Amino acid sequence: MSAPTGGGTAELTKWEYSTAVLLPHATKQILDTWGADGWELVQVIPNHPGTDGDRIVAYLKRPKFE
């Protein structure tokens, strides 16, 4: 979020979010692919409930353009 400058109003950035399961042997490749599509990594949760014990869930965001 950016602050207003010069007495004007600032537009707030709208975001879209996604999750991706990261495989331990291909983590970099998976994240590079998402990054090339404009996604930014926000957080990584290892051993996320509901996944196999060796899987990692990545939370990603990118600006939403309407």
Side-chain angles (χ1 to χ4, degrees):
M1 176 164 65
S2 58
T5 58
T9 59
E11 287 190 36
L12 299 177
T13 301
K14 294 183 180 182
W15 300 96
E16 62 179 319
Y17 299 91
S18 189
T19 57
V21 174
L22 303 178
L23 304 174
H25 63 277
T27 301
K28 182 182 181 320
Q29 181 181 1
I30 294 167
L31 291 175
D32 284 348
T33 300
W34 282 85
D37 288 336
W39 292 94
E40 177 182 348
L41 180 64
V42 176
Q43 186 171 6
V44 174
I45 306 287
N47 302 321
H48 190 275
T51 64
D52 295 337
D54 63 344
R55 294 207 181 169
I56 303 163
V57 176
Y59 290 81
L60 305 112
K61 72 176 185 178
R62 69 178 174 186
K64 184 175 185 178
F65 299 102
E66 298 175 356

